[in-house]
Amino acid sequence: MDTERIVRTFVEYYEELGHRRISGSTLLPPPGDTVLFTTSGMHPITPYLEGRPHPLGRRLVNVQRCLRTTDLDEVGDSTHLTVFEMLGTWSLGDYGGSRSLDWGYRLLTEGLGVDPGLLHATVYGGGDQVGPDTASLRRWQEHGVPVELTVEDNWWSNGPVGPCGPDSEIFLWTGDTPPRSTPTRDERWVEVWNHVMMHHRRLDDGRLVPLPQRNVDTGLGLERLASLLQGKSSVFECDVFEPWRRVVPSLWPLDEPSLRLVHDHLRSAVVVVGDGVLPASTGRGYVLRRLVRRVLTVLWRDDPSRSLGDLPDELVSHTLDRFRQEGDPGHVRRLLVEEEDRFGRLMERGRKVLARLRFRGPLGDDDFHYLHDTHGLPRDLVMRLREE
């Protein structure tokens, strides 16, 4: 089952259950949101989770592109990506969590063909202000799915204040043996789908108060789900990365961890540019700059002559099409090459500055501040150049 069919199956299933599809927004969050990029499907609809009536009703489904900078250092493992697509559903004060879990179980096992014996769930076990989620526990027991109770792992929040609530996560067994242990004790249980019973708001003082309506917010990563359904050992082996796996290794011979980073970061950079972000020294532009520079650091490690100008338009076009963006592949590639040239000049200047006697010994905070403020050399780049 390729990703297009997975998306179609997911959306049509929920449309048959009365959900209306809403258009996935860009990576840029709505005005007033404090995050740099959209990190989940719920960001664009936060006002409706807090009680504002949605023009399409109380049952929604969508496919949202997301970017998570918190996963940058985890990229390269089998499940994490910087930019990915999130399949999501919402009940805005309509049905409850138990029904959401029923529908999710049925879609996984009947619609997507997952073996029920390979599923495990986790459920909120209770805390100081909210008791255990006994409704979700009973529902999983009725389906014969084993359940593990946790506290911190099954409480979802969007930050220190704001909408929050207990959640129930669905895991799929990926080991070569029959399922064993539990999700918190064996990493071969991979999280597939999270159902959040978003009933509360956390205040500045830590107290929880009820939201105006009791919502359910669910989300599952498309690329991760696709890799599991396609029997692949990592997200980088699912069908959306097929053009990258076919083209990049012959263009730039790299080891597997380096290939994964290059695939992820270049793909993410294309999507970020496709949403109108330009490289900069702060904010969203700096995230884009970091992505490009991390790629170049890997490429130049073995061969300084490698260039993003060699990146085929095919990969840029495939990525823009995949994320439903209307950018010009040539423009995207030119922008990446301009950033490459800028980084190359900065690297050369940095080598000359760090060759001075003053910077040959241990560096203190004053040195790092000087190098950044006077020469535009961020700390991570300084450390990288000193390792050469």
Side-chain angles (χ1 to χ4, degrees), residues 33-295:
D33 201 314
T34 57
V35 299
L36 289 177
F37 292 99
T38 297
T39 61
S40 67
M42 63 84 65
H43 268 137
I45 64 167
T46 299
Y48 309 106
L49 292 167
E50 295 182 332
R52 181 190 302 176
H54 195 284
L56 293 182
R58 299 167 68 187
R59 296 184 181 186
L60 307 174
V61 60
N62 89 337
V63 183
Q64 171 66 49
R65 56 182 175 272
C66 304
L67 185 153
R68 293 185 179 175
T69 55
T70 54
D71 290 343
L72 274 178
D73 293 330
E74 297 186 61
V75 166
D77 69 7
S78 60
T79 60
H80 289 89
L81 297 170
T82 304
V83 166
F84 60 96
E85 291 192 281
M86 179 76 79
L87 306 177
T89 67
W90 293 271
S91 164
L92 303 177
D94 190 354
Y95 56 84
S98 294
R99 181 177 293 184
S100 180
L101 295 178
D102 276 341
W103 287 342
Y105 176 81
R106 195 173 81 194
L107 175 60
L108 287 174
T109 58
E110 299 178 16
L112 299 175
V114 174
D115 180 352
L118 298 179
L119 296 177
H120 202 301
T122 60
V123 167
Y124 183 64
D128 294 339
Q129 300 187 61
V130 177
D133 184 3
T134 55
S136 295
L137 176 62
R138 283 196 304 268
R139 191 50 49 100
W140 286 126
Q141 290 172 337
E142 291 169 1
H143 285 298
V145 175
V147 178
E148 180 180 21
L149 296 174
T150 81
V151 180
E152 290 84 0
D153 289 345
N154 282 101
W155 183 269
W156 187 94
S157 63
N158 193 35
V161 298
C164 56
D167 66 54
S168 181
E169 299 177 354
I170 308 173
F171 292 78
L172 181 62
W173 178 253
T174 62
D176 296 329
T177 66
R180 60 180 61 167
S181 192
T182 66
T184 63
R185 296 183 176 92
D186 195 318
E187 62 183 11
R188 289 174 293 180
W189 288 108
V190 175
E191 181 191 344
V192 176
W193 202 346
N194 192 13
H195 292 239
V196 182
M197 296 25 146
M198 198 176 293
H199 301 166
H200 309 277
R201 166 180 284 280
R202 189 176 296 280
L203 304 179
D204 290 330
D205 60 7
R207 288 184 300 117
L208 297 175
V209 297
L211 284 172
Q213 61 191 23
R214 296 168 69 86
N215 309 297
V216 181
D217 166 21
T218 87
L220 67 166
L222 174 59
E223 292 88 347
R224 182 182 298 184
L225 176 64
S227 67
L228 295 171
L229 295 180
Q230 293 167 14
K232 304 300 183 181
S233 60
S234 84
V235 288
F236 295 97
E237 296 177 19
C238 75
D239 62 307
V240 297
F241 281 97
E242 188 280 328
W244 292 86
R245 294 196 312 273
R246 173 169 43 83
V247 172
V248 172
S250 59
L251 182 64
W252 302 315
L254 298 164
D255 59 38
E256 182 60 26
S258 298
L259 273 175
R260 289 182 176 187
L261 184 145
V262 168
H263 289 170
D264 172 85
H265 283 17
L266 272 182
R267 177 176 179 261
S268 299
V270 169
V271 179
V272 172
V273 173
D275 272 348
V277 177
L278 299 176
S281 57
T282 60
R284 298 185 181 103
Y286 187 62
V287 173
L288 172 59
R289 178 161 286 171
R290 282 186 65 199
L291 290 169
V292 175
R293 289 180 175 181
R294 284 166 67 106
V295 169

